[in-house]
Amino acid sequence: MKCILVTGAAGFIGSHTTLVLLNAGYKLYLLDNFSNSSPIALSRVAKLSSLSKKEAQERISIIDGDVRDFSLLDNVFSTSKRNGERINSVIHFAGLKAVGESFEKSLDYWDNNVGGTITLLKVMVKNSCRNIVFSSSATVYRPKNEAALIETDPISPINPYGITKATIEKMLADIGGCQSTASAQQNSSKGWRIACLRYFNPAGAHPSGEIGENPKNIPNNLLPLINQVGIGRNKSLTVFGNDWPTPDGTGIRDYVHVMDIAEGHKAALDILLSSKPQLLIMNLGSGKGTSVLKLIHIFEVTNGIKIPYEIGKRREGDSAISLADPSQALKYLQWEAKRSIEDICRDAWNWQYKNPIGYL
Ligand code: NAD
Ligand code: UDP
C-alpha cells in the first residue's frame, strides 16, 4: 500500500486532498499544528470517506505537530517503517498563506514556509524519501494583466508570501539537480520526483458541506468574504476598485474548485510515482476568468440570496487579472478543472450555511 505524509492536512486544501487520497486507497500520516485549522476537519474526512470506522482508523495516523520539528518528523518516518508501511512520498501543504499578513510578519513567513520546508527536506533525505508534491501559488508570477500566465513566464513575486513560495520552488529545483523553475518539466539528475503545483484561486467546498474553508482569523479571500455577508456576519462586501482595466472594472481571477485541486494532487502523485525522476511545475487553474461583480451575480443567482456590496478603493498589491494557462497540467498530469464557477458558488455557500460558525 502506498504510504504518504501529508503536512497541513487539516487545512482547506489538505482536508479535501486527504479525502481523495483516502478513497484512492493510500495509507496516510497526517501532520498539522492546527494553527489555522481544526482536528474536526480530519474526523469529518474519515466519516465522509468510503471506509468503515475501523478501516479509517487503520489507514489514518494523525500527528499534532509542527513541520519545523525535525525530531518529530523523523519519528513519524521511523514509526512508518516500524509499522512496515514506509512513507514513500510527501504532500506538503503546511505553511502560512495570507498575502497581507506576510508584509507585517515576514519573518514568520520565512520561518514557517521556507524554514519548515528545509526541515522537512532534511528529514526526507535522512529517510531516503525523494518524492514530494509542493503547494506553490500563482503569486510567484509577476502579474501580467492581459493574457493567461504560463509556466515559462517570469517569476517575480510582489509580496513576501509569494517570495517564500518562489524560494521553495528554487530550493526544490536545486536539490533535484534541475536548472530553473521556468519550465514545466525537467529531468532530475539527483533521483528526485517533485511537483510544484501553482494554484490559482482555490474556492468552493466538498459538495456534502461537511468540509470547507475555515480560516481561524478574519478571511482575506473573496468567496469566504461573500459567505460572511450571506450568513449575516458582515453587512456588505467591499469591492476593491471598479477602475481596473477589465470589462466591468473589477478584478478578474481564475477560481478553481477545491475538489479539482485535490484531484490534481492525486494526478501529480500518480504521474511522479510511475515515471522517471523529474521536476514538474504546473499551473492548477481553470483557464477561465471571473470578475468580482460577475462572481457576486453568479453567487446570488445560484444560491437565491442577495449579497449587498459597495465599491471601495483598490487593495494595495492587487492586480487586474490573474488567469492560468492550464495546458501543461493537461499535457503532463492529464488533469483539468471539471467543476464550474456555479459549482464553486453553490458548494461554498452550502458549506457556510451548514456550518455558520465553522467546525464547532
Ligand atoms: P490552510 O491554512 O487552510 O492550511 C494550511 C494548514 O497548515 C493549516 O491546517 C495549518 O494549521 C497548517 N500549518 C501551518 N503552519 C504549520 C506548521 N508550521 N506545521 C504544521 N502545520 C502547519 O491553507 P490552504 O488554503 O489549505 O493552503 C494550503 C497550502 O496551499 C499553503 O501552503 C498555501 O500557501 C498554498 N496555497 C493556497 C492557496 C489558497 O488560496 N488557499 C493558493 C495558493 C497556494
Ligand atoms: N476582492 C474584493 N473584495 C474583497 C476581497 C477580494 O473585491 O473583500 C477582490 C480582489 O481585489 C481580487 C478578487 O476579489 O480582485 C480575489 O481576491 P482574493 O483575495 O480572493 O484573491 P487574490 O487577489 O489573492 O488572487
Side-chain angles (χ1 to χ4, degrees):
M1 188 187 291
K2 284 178 191 150
C3 180
I4 307 175
L5 168 64
V6 184
T7 75
F12 174 42
I13 304 171
S15 54
H16 291 77
T17 306
T18 294
L19 178 62
V20 168
L21 296 173
L22 211 49
N23 284 339
Y26 292 94
K27 158 82 197 185
L28 302 175
Y29 285 82
L30 306 174
L31 176 101
D32 207 298
N33 67 0
F34 303 107
S35 57
N36 196 35
S37 56
S38 160
I40 298 170
L42 296 179
S43 44
R44 291 207 185 166
V45 166
K47 275 194 204 134
L48 268 181
S49 76
S50 53
L51 308 178
S52 68
K53 200 173 169 186
K54 185 168 171 286
E55 283 169 327
Q57 274 167 355
E58 284 164 5
R59 294 261 300 283
I60 302 176
S61 299
I62 297 173
I63 306 108
D64 180 352
D66 200 294
V67 76
R68 292 164 293 183
D69 185 339
F70 184 96
S71 342
L72 175 98
L73 284 186
D74 195 30
N75 197 29
V76 173
F77 275 85
S78 306
T79 308
S80 83
K81 274 183 221 159
R82 264 201 310 279
N83 292 343
E85 50 196 15
R86 193 177 150 268
I87 293 170
N88 80 331
S89 315
V90 175
I91 302 187
H92 181 35
F93 294 108
L96 304 180
K97 64 163 183 175
V99 169
E101 186 189 61
S102 75
F103 285 99
E104 320 299 322
K105 300 182 176 171
S106 66
L107 195 53
D108 288 350
Y109 276 68
W110 282 94
D111 184 29
N112 245 282
N113 295 1
V114 179
T117 307
I118 290 174
T119 304
L120 174 66
L121 291 171
K122 281 184 177 169
V123 175
M124 288 175 68
V125 169
K126 180 167 181 251
N127 290 279
S128 307
C129 174
R130 288 189 166 75
N131 307 321
I132 182 166
V133 179
F134 168 62
S135 296
S136 190
S137 165
T139 51
V140 299
Y141 292 113
R142 182 190 312 149
K144 200 153 120 182
N145 280 344
E146 71 275 346
L149 290 154
I150 55 171
E151 287 81 355
T152 45
D153 276 333
I155 301 306
S156 180
I158 55 171
N159 53 65
Y161 165 68
I163 295 170
T164 65
K165 292 288 180 188
T167 303
I168 296 166
E169 283 195 1
K170 284 199 173 123
M171 189 162 67
L172 289 167
D174 188 40
I175 62 166
C178 304
Q179 292 297 316
S180 77
T181 55
S183 162
Q185 190 279 334
Q186 289 167 79
N187 293 340
S188 163
S189 58
K190 296 192 175 164
W192 280 80
R193 291 177 172 81
I194 302 167
C196 295
L197 303 180
R198 293 178 180 162
Y199 319 147
F200 276 67
N201 289 66
H206 188 268
S208 65
E210 288 297 311
I211 53 172
E213 192 167 5
N214 183 45
K216 279 204 170 158
N217 299 316
I218 301 161
N220 297 294
N221 295 115
L222 185 56
L223 244 311
L225 283 160
I226 291 178
N227 265 345
Q228 301 259 302
V229 176
I231 208 76
R233 200 164 302 140
N234 295 341
K235 279 209 179 81
S236 76
L237 179 86
T238 303
V239 175
F240 294 147
N242 65 351
D243 55 354
W244 294 99
T246 61
D248 68 14
T250 66
I252 290 179
R253 293 291 181 274
D254 184 330
Y255 298 95
V256 50
H257 198 291
V258 65
M259 287 304 295
D260 280 323
I261 294 274
E263 289 163 9
H265 287 76
K266 184 181 170 302
L269 198 63
D270 289 349
I271 292 292
L272 285 182
L273 295 180
S274 62
S275 46
K276 61 185 183 234
Q278 61 182 327
L279 167 67
L280 295 171
I281 297 193
M282 298 285 140
N283 288 342
L284 290 192
S286 69
K288 296 180 187 126
T290 308
S291 73
V292 179
L293 290 183
K294 196 168 165 204
L295 189 74
I296 295 172
H297 178 69
I298 294 171
F299 189 95
E300 290 184 331
V301 172
T302 306
N303 296 313
I305 49 168
K306 201 87 201 116
I307 301 296
Y309 66 85
E310 61 211 31
I311 305 294
K313 286 196 297 211
R314 288 185 181 189
R315 180 173 63 178
E316 208 188 332
D318 259 356
S319 58
I321 303 175
S322 170
L323 187 62
D325 176 337
S327 57
Q328 298 304 302
L330 184 59
K331 179 176 168 189
Y332 286 99
L333 309 181
Q334 289 82 55
W335 175 91
E336 63 183 331
K338 294 193 195 96
R339 292 150 180 100
S340 67
I341 192 75
E342 286 79 9
D343 293 334
I344 290 175
C345 288
R346 187 198 58 235
D347 293 338
W349 175 242
N350 184 41
W351 149 256
Q352 181 71 73
Y353 185 72
K354 280 186 152 177
N355 304 272
I357 43 173
Y359 289 116
L360 282 175

